[in-house]
Amino acid sequence: KQWYQRRVAITAGEDDGGKGGPKNRIIKWVNSKINPWGKSITNLNNDWNNGTILACLVNALAPGLVPDFNEMEPESAKDNIERAMEMAKEWMDIPRVIEPDDMMDPNVDELSMMTYLSYFPNAKVKEGAPCVNPGRVIARGPGITGVGLKLGKPAEFEIDASKAGENGRDKIKVEVLGPEGPVKVDMTSNGDLTYTGAYFPEDDGEYTIKVTLLNCSVPKSPFKVGIYGSQKTDPNKVKVSGPGITGEGVLPGDPAPFIIDYKEAGRGQPQIEVFGPDHQPLTIVEDNDKKEGICKVEYQPGVFGEYTVTIKYSGLPLPNSPYKVNIKPTVDISKVKTEGPGLSRCKVGEPTWFKVHTAGAGKGDLSVKILQTDGTELEPTINNDGKGTYHIDYTPMMVGSYKVTVTYGRCKIPKSPFTVTVVPPGDAGEVIVNGDALHGIRVGMTGRLFVDSSKAGKGDLKVTVIGPDNKPVTSGLELIRTTDGVSEYGVTPEVPGPHVISVYFSGTAVPGSPFDITVQPSLDIERIKLIVDRENPPRINKQYKFTVDCSDAGPAPVLFGFIGDPDNDNPDKPRKDILVIVCDDKGNPIKDKKEKSTDCDSALIPLL
């Protein structure tokens, strides 16, 4: 039972905000599938006991799997359920998580039923299933098109179901409704899944021919034809007018109305079909005043493109039908320009803006739709300066990614929809970090780290250093000063090896953080050797060359040599000593662990 509850919670949408809970949603879904087949349910127990509902559901999802569900005997409940379950399992991979004996029980567990039925909405019919495909049935002949029909004469037709599937044999049904009610239909099977037949019109007026296979309508069914004997029908006298035919001034989302004037065309009724650019039929609304002979029609184009309007009168096409209606933009959208932070990056809780420049693009309506991170819509303020520039203001109320869709003249402007990043009040992305501490320093040497958060807004700044042992370094990190939003830190590592410097602003890592640096070992002063020419000592005001050997002291430093003796002003007298100051690559004296400058003289460095 616990497993059943989990399955239903996931598949029945327990948390999707629907009304009535998963049970009512499953009942509603089942009814949406079986109602067209003349069945309905109100519960998940006794309505299912005899198996006919399950068989109907299986056949509704895959017409032809259980085509005789209407002929099933309720007394054979177990056989009915067994057969429907096996077809569902074999051809739709629906597991039998409930047994026929359980479904036959008037007190069947509803959770078990919900679990079983929850597999059906997403089920896919396998290739090769013994189904029928009503979409492959072809209906033709004058009884379908209405061409040449006369009262009192048979209206003949042909039905070709040879490509619809063997399981649909002899399941074709043709019903005709005339001006005065149902009309008799005679139909004969030819034995090869094709059928011939006729109906017999007796009254002037419109006839509706419904052709179905296993209760599913075939393409374009129901067909409508007009048959008139007392007055001649002339489709050439039908007049059609309106923007729904010319396309003039119609944009996506607008109604596209047109009028059919047939009062001088004789007895008959217009039949209208509208297809979109994707060749799919559109819903049309008709207001037909038969007494006045005026039919008002309206459809609504959804996108730009070419629409096809087909009009027949009494089954005969009008001279200019089908009409090609081009719904096209009224603006040059390429000339629309934008600017402003409200289309790229902004801070939560702070007003932001952007502008849309439409000068030269033509006249049109501007529309702005802003979707927040949770999918809710944020209402902007739009101001038009009357010169073609719109100023849009809004205040984002939550952190995350927003989608801003801007249309002009019902066309999306270039780069729309825009993805806008809304960040916390302190924007870590605006923080800049630099300094020599990022480029490698030595043990005992203090490197400088500068963190510029002057453009990041309000927020807390945090700097951490992790040593080679993956432990935080605290004693070697010091905040020296903060001036105008720029914080200067001193970083003095105590051990060599890889270190990681991390910088956070308002809890978010700044660009580039974490920074990986390598700390070099300290300089071993006692291993530096000064090499001079003892036979030719340095003299005052004379160029002198000497060598400093640091090969045993660690990574090579930069060395500044100073020659001079304040106590000796005799240019011919040899100098007493040579002072060498060891510096870094910036010219700063390197200090040892006792904070003393590494001043080396001849007393410390042996002369060779």
Side-chain angles (χ1 to χ4, degrees), residues 331-481:
V331 299
D332 184 354
I333 202 64
S334 66
K335 294 185 177 180
V336 177
K337 310 297 181 183
T338 60
E339 63 170 311
L343 292 178
S344 55
R345 188 182 183 93
C346 50
K347 298 177 182 179
V348 69
E350 297 184 10
T352 188
W353 62 273
F354 64 92
K355 292 181 180 180
V356 180
H357 304 285
T358 64
K363 293 184 178 181
D365 296 327
L366 183 80
S367 173
V368 178
K369 184 177 181 181
I370 303 175
L371 289 181
Q372 301 185 102
T373 304
D374 63 353
T376 58
E377 191 168 345
L378 184 64
E379 190 70 27
T381 300
I382 304 176
N383 292 306
N384 183 1
D385 69 354
K387 299 178 181 179
T389 295
Y390 295 82
H391 193 106
I392 296 90
D393 298 280
Y394 69 97
T395 302
M397 302 310 296
M398 60 182 67
V399 174
S401 181
Y402 284 45
K403 180 178 288 187
V404 179
T405 302
V406 183
T407 60
Y408 185 65
R410 309 292 171 84
C411 299
K412 288 184 179 179
I413 70 172
K415 299 183 181 180
S416 179
F418 299 85
T419 299
V420 181
T421 301
V422 179
V423 298
D427 186 357
E430 296 291 340
V431 177
I432 300 173
V433 181
N434 53 38
D436 57 10
L438 300 179
H439 306 295
I441 51 180
R442 300 183 188 280
V443 171
M445 171 184 171
T446 299
R448 294 294 187 264
L449 183 73
F450 298 93
V451 182
D452 184 353
S453 59
S454 58
K455 297 181 180 180
K458 297 179 180 180
D460 297 325
L461 185 63
K462 181 180 179 181
V463 178
T464 64
V465 180
I466 303 297
D469 57 358
N470 289 325
K471 294 182 179 180
V473 175
T474 55
S475 60
L477 179 64
E478 176 188 6
L479 175 61
I480 299 174
R481 67 179 64 87

Side-chain angles (χ1 to χ4, degrees), residues 1-2 12 61 64 72 112 114 118 165-166 236 243 254 271 316 326 339 354 392 406 481 486 559 584 592 606:
K1 186 69 67 64
Q2 187 178 7
L61 296 178
M72 285 181 166
S112 300
M114 291 167 66
S118 68
E166 179 66 30
N236 293 305
D254 288 344
Q271 298 91 41
L316 300 174
N326 192 11
E339 63 170 311
F354 64 92
I392 296 90
V406 183
R481 67 179 64 87
V486 179
L559 301 169
D584 61 20
D592 60 17

Side-chain angles (χ1 to χ4, degrees), residues 242-248 250 256 258 274-277 299 301 303-310 322-328:
I245 295 297
T246 64
E248 183 177 355
V250 179
F258 62 93
V274 180
F275 298 90
Y299 64 95
V303 296
F304 289 109
E306 187 177 76
Y307 290 73
T308 302
V309 179
T310 301
Y323 299 87
K324 299 297 181 180
V325 184
N326 192 11
I327 306 299
K328 57 185 179 181

Side-chain angles (χ1 to χ4, degrees), residues 57 159 211 268 273 309 317 563 569 589 601:
L57 177 62
I159 308 295
V211 182
E273 289 182 310
V309 179
I563 301 176
D569 57 2
D601 57 23

Side-chain angles (χ1 to χ4, degrees), residues 31-109:
N31 277 327
S32 72
K33 301 302 176 184
I34 66 175
N35 284 169
W37 300 79
K39 301 284 186 180
S40 65
I41 62 168
T42 59
N43 56 61
L44 295 178
N45 39 53
N46 53 25
D47 279 350
W48 300 79
N49 295 159
N50 62 27
T52 58
I53 292 296
L54 179 61
C56 178
L57 177 62
V58 172
N59 195 73
L61 296 178
L65 285 188
V66 194
D68 56 344
F69 66 90
N70 268 326
E71 286 78 44
M72 285 181 166
E73 296 292 339
E75 295 77 12
S76 304
K78 186 172 183 177
D79 291 340
N80 298 340
I81 296 173
E82 180 72 32
R83 180 182 169 198
M85 281 187 170
E86 278 304 303
M87 297 301 284
K89 179 181 179 182
E90 181 178 359
W91 296 111
M92 293 190 288
D93 278 338
I94 295 178
R96 292 179 54 159
V97 297
I98 186 173
E99 293 301 320
D101 288 335
D102 296 324
M103 190 176 289
M104 291 169 57
D105 187 348
N107 298 314
V108 59
D109 179 60

